[in-house]
Amino acid sequence: MSGDSPSLPSDPFRIVGTLLARKYRVDRVVAHGGFGVVYAGRHIELDVPIAVKLLKPAGDVDFEVWGELLDQFLQEAKTLAKLRHPNVVAVLDAGFAPIDGFDADVPWMVLEWLEGETLRDSLLARRGRGGRTPAECMDLLRPVFEAIADAHDAGIVHRDLKPSNIMLVPDRRGVDARVLDFGIAKMMKHEPTGDPSSGHTATQSRTSSFTVASAAPEQLSGSRTGPWTDVYALALLVTEVLTDRAPMGVVDPNDHYRKVFDGERPTPRALGVDCGAWEAVLARALAVRPNERQADARKLLADLESTLPDALATPLERASESSVDGGYSATDRRAAEAIHQSASTKKSAAMTAGGPSMRGGRSGTSTRSRVGLAAVAITVIASATGVAVVAMRSRATGSTGAASGAPNDASALGCTGNRACVEAHGGEPWMCRATDRTCVAIGSEDCAARFEPEDLAADDTLWIGAMLPLSGPRADAYGKQAANALDLARRDFANVGGVPGPTEGRMRRLALVVCDATTNARRPAAHLADLDVAVVLGPAVGLKDTIDVTTNVFVPKRMLVLDLFDESPLVTQIPQPEGVPRLVWRLTASAEQGGEALAHVVSDYVEPLLRRRGGPLADGKPMKLVIVRSESATPASILDAFASTLRMNGKPLVENTAQFQQQTFRRNDLSPSARRNIVADIVAFSPNVIIYADGPFFEDPFVEAIERDWKTPSRPIYVSQGVLANAGLRTFVGANAERRRRFLSTELPANTDENFRFVLHYNELFEPKITPGTAPGTIFDVFYVAAYAAAATKKAHVTGADLAEAMRRLGGEGERIGVGPSHIFEAYEILRQGKTLRLSGAGTQLDFDHAAGDIPSDFAVYCFGIDRDGRASEPRESGLRFDHRSKRLEGTMRCP
């Protein structure tokens, strides 16, 4: 981890700035959970950076569990001290310290400070570029094998080997792999001997834990573990490095368990790579029965070394069965390692050597209430299931609590806190409304709560509202994905305890109220206002209803509105109350920006393409263009901006009257005769380019009719605003390469690191899977915006106006970080220092224009991809992007 790593806002032991054991200066917190706290510091005598880890007692853990946690913590220190291998993170010291506020002395250990990245991060960064050669695999992983072999010789089994527990540390020769996290290592001298496959000598512990995605069969079945367990994990590492794909490519826990015991082993050949002589070696190492594997890491290393001359890495034809989108394989988007992956991209060895407080339990149930969570290890399987059940139950109870939208006056209790309201209503999600001390149901006919159990009891929980289309045709199109994306972000913050609150060392929890706004936008809007939620995300209710509920419900209640779905300039022009910071923001690209990008695609790429040698305008003829538009407000705004920006034939559009036509139609009043007339006019004009910004251009098949009736040899190029995903158009284009090359579209960029990490994160938990091109990244982003605004305010009771004021801390010239769980504590530290935070979102760069209430956006140019049958598939980025700063189209076209 870098020496300028972020610190956390709280110091539970209050030892920052002090000396530990009279020689270790404690500088700042870098990670903590319910029990483990990691500090960055310095050895004052040697003048070298160090990491200090302390084990924190907690009152909600029974004595037996605490004893096991303490044993594991001390055992890790002893294990690391015993190994003393150059490729194992080194423990420098350990002991107990009396600390004020704690009844017993606190155990601590000091570890070396490492800088670099984990193997997991390295693998994800190179996804889509193919695996390494066998020789490269050995160069990279030989230090890991040698470290584990020495551990086996010393009678130590790691039992949690995975890419995120291997640090790649830069050195003069490149990188050196270091093994981390011996927190659940096992000393074999304490184990009875016997047949490793029998399972009759299983060792059980209430705190035993491992990572499900890289667990050997004996770990999942509760059988005896040993060196053979590490052999299995090492084989998985080799397979992933060799193939560029996660061996256990499933997300559902039940499917994962079945695959672990399946007859077909997760070897390179099963993943579509022929590795020659290594296939048999790895198949043996991945055997279900432990006694069929190599005895230990040294034997596996010897087998791999001896067969290296006959090893290779050749993709098989079957590898093409995994589609690749945006450079990332479909299997990796479902990588099972992500079931239990680190939330940190760059970690110190001490952080990943987190012991029991940083992992989930073997049973698959959440252990957060027992052992807490650290910033660097998030268990998501059980919490995903639990939260989903709670959310559905909340929806049901809410519908009975306020089925007709009636007020909750009948259940007023003169409450003293949330816990009393929850207990009075059978544990269901109710709150004690702070403004009038009345118990109110969080759920309603339209709204459901999504929360962690701790959220209901905390009086300072910040409830965030959202209005989405959760029923009707738009639900499957994007409403349900949007709700999942918001809940995913909510879980990210729940896993770290929330956001910093007004009291030093106390975190404020965040929870969601997600409302279906399909049939009656006013009703859920009124419910959110009744709950006194400070911020509303969405609202996906159409421009007219958005303006209505914002103007008449949200703004009068001083609620912050973060609009995600409306591109119209009318949104940010909604009147704001005087003396209050801006309450209405748009967090998606504006229509004007979209139109400007479209214009530059035509003038900077399409017209030069048509004029090049052999093109239809090579002889200097003027380019002709048609705009097709509906009378809807947003498409009209896009195309108005397009028309005012475009230059064609060397002149503004207004000077091209003879080469320009516009066709306008009503979306809800398009008769067959009107459609025929529009098509006939377009065909007669014979344009080189057709511009459109509305889906009905395809739904009422204009394109098919135009192409059928076309008269001239040179057919038009179609340029759109974000509608290439239309299934009907893809079917029409089919396998026709000439047609495919004539369709282009502009949309927000999808091939970004933040978006890819979000897609991986989303696909861990939800079905159907998404791709970078279909990801609801802006939805994920908006929760992070609201959360960081909450982190920037220190008010005990947070209002929309407070969050609006805090929005001034987001954007500007601040430090740039990406959304996602790995950067949460970094963001907290930036805000704690009073600095401005600039976010790179999964959907767009969140560079807020505070005067306009908007975010300037770049746009990517998209074209159709090609599936394995040669047919048009999901849109993909072409390599061209419109940069909103330079007002230029940049990059190189790479459409298939």
Side-chain angles (χ1 to χ4, degrees):
M1 186 170 190
S2 169
D4 59 355
S5 302
S7 66
L8 297 176
S10 61
D11 172 16
F13 291 101
R14 302 188 184 282
I15 60 171
V16 168
T18 67
L19 287 181
L20 182 67
R22 298 185 178 182
K23 55 184 173 180
Y24 303 115
R25 189 185 72 214
V26 182
D27 293 334
R28 65 189 186 281
V29 180
V30 293
H32 74 73
F35 291 87
V37 183
V38 182
Y39 294 82
R42 202 160 194 86
H43 193 306
I44 59 173
E45 295 175 1
L46 300 180
D47 194 28
V48 294
I50 48 99
V52 183
K53 184 165 63 173
L54 290 85
L55 189 66
K56 182 176 66 175
D60 60 343
V61 174
D62 62 59
F63 180 81
E64 183 180 354
V65 171
W66 172 250
E68 291 186 6
L69 297 175
L70 181 60
D71 287 344
Q72 285 190 14
F73 185 89
L74 299 177
Q75 185 62 52
E76 182 185 9
K78 294 176 183 177
T79 299
L80 294 174
K82 182 175 182 180
L83 283 176
R84 292 292 184 187
H85 190 281
N87 293 103
V88 174
V89 60
V91 63
L92 307 178
D93 202 352
F96 288 79
I99 295 179
D100 291 343
F102 293 86
D103 295 334
D105 288 356
V106 175
W108 55 266
M109 71 175 83
V110 173
L111 301 104
E112 66 173 326
W113 183 267
L114 298 181
E115 296 188 33
E117 67 175 351
T118 65
L119 177 59
R120 164 55 54 205
D121 296 329
S122 175
L123 290 168
L124 290 180
R126 59 176 284 132
R127 281 293 192 252
R129 291 188 283 166
R132 293 174 170 89
T133 67
E136 290 170 337
C137 284
M138 290 310 302
D139 286 343
L140 180 68
L141 296 179
R142 186 181 285 106
V144 177
F145 276 82
E146 291 172 349
I148 299 302
D150 274 16
H152 290 175
D153 292 344
I156 299 167
V157 186
H158 189 286
R159 299 200 300 176
D160 197 24
L161 284 171
K162 57 185 177 180
S164 57
N165 275 344
I166 296 170
M167 182 77 81
L168 303 181
V169 180
D171 64 12
R172 287 175 295 181
R173 298 171 298 171
V175 295
D176 191 27
R178 309 285 287 274
V179 180
L180 313 174
D181 203 349
F182 277 77
I184 63 167
K186 182 171 77 167
M187 304 298 292
M188 290 182 286
K189 67 181 181 180
H190 298 309
E191 285 291 314
T193 59
D195 178 6
S197 66
S198 69
H200 295 306
T201 58
T203 56
Q204 302 294 334
S205 168
R206 295 177 63 182
T207 59
S208 63
S209 53
F210 50 81
T211 303
V212 174
S214 56
E218 62 268 25
Q219 289 177 290
L220 299 182
S221 64
S223 302
R224 181 175 169 235
T225 57
W228 49 86
T229 306
D230 288 347
V231 166
Y232 185 97
L234 287 167
L236 289 179
L237 287 175
V238 173
T239 299
E240 183 165 1
V241 172
L242 193 70
T243 64
D244 189 36
R245 296 171 64 185
M248 306 303 291
V250 293
V251 146
D252 181 82
N254 293 324
D255 290 343
H256 178 82
Y257 278 55
R258 283 192 291 269
K259 186 169 182 178
V260 168
F261 294 94
D262 195 286
E264 182 181 12
R265 308 313 297 145
T267 64
R269 178 170 289 276
L271 298 179
V273 173
D274 180 7
C275 63
W278 271 15
E279 178 69 15
V281 176
L282 294 172
R284 179 184 175 191
L286 293 167
V288 174
R289 293 175 60 84
N291 61 357
E292 295 175 1
R293 302 178 202 146
Q294 291 86 351
D296 55 29
R298 198 170 300 284
K299 183 64 173 74
L300 175 57
L301 176 60
D303 285 355
L304 291 170
E305 294 271 27
S306 65
T307 56
L308 182 58
D310 298 317
L312 46 87
T314 304
L316 300 169
E317 289 185 4
R318 65 188 291 182
S320 64
E321 294 173 5
S322 265
S323 63
V324 174
D325 185 303
Y328 304 111
S329 70
T331 298
D332 274 324
R333 291 197 302 269
R334 300 187 300 269
E337 177 66 36
I339 293 174
H340 194 284
Q341 79 176 49
S342 168
S344 172
T345 56
K346 288 190 176 182
K347 316 178 214 12
S348 69
M351 289 170 69
T352 49
S357 67
M358 298 186 181
R359 279 182 294 275
R362 177 176 61 197
S363 65
T365 57
S366 173
T367 60
R368 291 169 67 257
S369 61
R370 288 189 175 274
V371 297
L373 286 171
V376 297
I378 300 174
T379 303
V380 294
I381 300 176
S383 63
T385 306
V387 170
V389 170
V390 170
M392 289 187 289
R393 186 180 180 194
S394 300
R395 176 64 183 267
T397 57
S399 64
T400 59
S404 62
N408 294 310
D409 295 343
S411 51
L413 300 176
C415 51
T416 57
N418 290 344
R419 186 184 299 275
C421 295
V422 172
E423 291 176 351
H425 293 86
E428 301 301 341
W430 284 61
M431 69 163 66
C432 182
R433 188 168 53 203
T435 52
D436 59 2
R437 313 310 300 175
T438 298
C439 285
V440 291
I442 297 170
S444 74
E445 180 178 0
D446 307 292
C447 305
R450 299 194 179 195
F451 56 90
E452 302 296 319
E454 301 93 326
D455 301 341
L456 295 183
D459 289 332
D460 61 350
T461 294
L462 180 65
W463 287 88
I464 296 174
M467 294 178 63
L468 303 170
L470 300 179
S471 59
R474 293 194 300 164
D476 290 331
Y478 64 88
K480 294 176 182 177
Q481 284 188 354
N484 290 341
L486 287 177
D487 198 46
L488 183 63
R490 180 198 64 79
R491 298 172 200 226
D492 288 347
F493 288 92
N495 284 332
V496 298
V499 300
T503 303
E504 181 71 20
R506 177 174 173 81
M507 303 290 273
R508 187 198 308 274
R509 306 192 66 85
L510 306 177
L512 265 173
V513 189
V514 182
C515 301
D516 183 3
T518 303
T519 58
N520 183 341
R522 273 289 187 107
R523 190 171 60 204
H527 179 68
L528 294 176
D530 189 54
L531 293 177
D532 281 337
V533 301
V535 56
V536 178
L537 314 180
V541 295
L543 179 60
K544 180 180 178 181
D545 283 337
T546 296
I547 294 174
D548 173 49
V549 297
T550 301
T551 302
N552 297 304
V553 180
F554 300 144
V555 168
K557 287 275 290 186
R558 302 298 193 266
M559 298 161 70
L560 178 65
V561 178
L562 301 180
D563 191 315
L564 291 165
F565 298 98
D566 295 297
E567 300 176 31
S568 170
L570 296 176
V571 170
T572 53
Q573 295 171 15
I574 291 174
Q576 304 281 300
E578 293 185 6
V580 177
R582 170 176 285 279
L583 291 170
V584 183
W585 290 78
R586 175 175 45 222
L587 268 68
T588 190
S590 70
E592 291 93 338
Q593 295 171 35
E596 189 176 45
L598 270 179
H600 280 273
V601 172
V602 173
S603 61
D604 299 356
Y605 173 73
V606 174
E607 185 171 355
L609 176 70
L610 294 171
R611 294 194 182 282
R612 71 184 182 183
R613 181 177 298 180
L617 302 181
D619 57 1
K621 292 179 182 178
M623 185 177 76
K624 295 196 293 184
L625 178 142
V626 166
I627 292 177
V628 184
R629 55 181 281 183
S630 74
E631 293 184 347
S632 299
T634 297
S637 298
I638 293 172
L639 295 175
D640 284 347
F642 167 84
S644 63
T645 305
L646 179 69
R647 289 187 64 85
M648 57 182 272
N649 301 317
K651 301 176 291 186
L653 189 61
V654 70
E655 298 178 25
N656 280 278
T657 54
Q659 288 79 41
F660 165 68
Q661 228 185 55
Q662 178 167 291
Q663 297 288 339
T664 305
F665 61 90
R666 291 181 179 271
R667 294 187 60 170
N668 300 321
D669 184 23
L670 187 60
S671 66
S673 61
R675 186 186 299 113
R676 286 194 298 270
N677 290 337
I678 291 173
V679 170
D681 288 345
I682 293 174
V683 171
F685 186 63
S686 188
N688 305 104
V689 182
I690 297 177
I691 303 294
Y692 52 92
D694 209 5
F697 189 64
F698 298 125
E699 295 162 12
D700 301 293
F702 282 109
V703 173
E704 187 173 348
I706 291 169
E707 291 287 312
R708 182 191 63 230
D709 297 345
W710 197 259
K711 308 297 184 185
T712 63
S714 177
R715 292 180 176 268
I717 293 176
Y718 299 85
V719 185
S720 72
Q721 168 76 56
V723 290
L724 285 194
N726 183 277
L729 179 62
R730 285 207 304 270
T731 300
F732 169 72
V733 171
N736 189 313
E738 188 274 335
R739 284 181 181 173
R740 187 177 65 248
R741 286 192 290 268
R742 291 191 288 113
F743 287 88
L744 299 173
S745 179
T746 59
E747 186 58 273
L748 296 175
N751 289 350
T752 65
D753 291 342
E754 287 78 16
N755 192 43
F756 175 57
R757 286 194 294 267
F758 164 61
V759 170
L760 285 176
H761 198 21
Y762 183 100
N763 288 343
E764 295 167 13
L765 301 179
F766 302 113
E767 294 284 353
K769 304 305 180 192
I770 59 174
T771 66
T774 63
T778 54
I779 316 297
F780 183 70
D781 296 342
V782 74
F783 191 96
Y784 269 78
V785 170
Y788 288 145
T793 182
K794 294 303 179 183
K795 299 292 183 66
H797 175 67
V798 178
T799 66
D802 296 329
L803 295 180
E805 177 67 30
M807 288 284 290
R808 295 173 177 171
R809 300 277 305 282
L810 307 179
E813 299 300 321
E815 185 173 343
R816 172 79 70 187
I817 67 167
V819 299
S822 60
H823 296 296
I824 288 177
F825 288 120
E826 182 180 357
Y828 289 170
E829 176 60 12
I830 292 170
L831 294 172
R832 187 191 69 81
Q833 294 177 6
K835 299 178 181 178
T836 302
L837 181 66
R838 296 177 68 200
L839 294 174
S840 289
T844 187
Q845 297 285 71
L846 297 166
D847 294 331
F848 298 102
D849 183 336
H850 290 265
D854 220 328
I855 52 170
S857 301
D858 293 343
F859 280 82
V861 180
Y862 285 76
C863 54
F864 281 118
I866 305 176
D867 65 16
R868 65 172 65 93
D869 298 320
R871 304 181 67 82
S873 65
E874 181 181 300
R876 51 166 286 182
E877 288 193 34
S878 68
L880 291 176
R881 285 196 183 186
F882 172 70
D883 187 295
H884 76 271
R885 300 168 191 83
S886 65
K887 305 298 184 185
R888 295 176 55 190
L889 201 65
E890 300 175 347
T892 303
M893 174 63 75
R894 296 190 300 269
C895 281

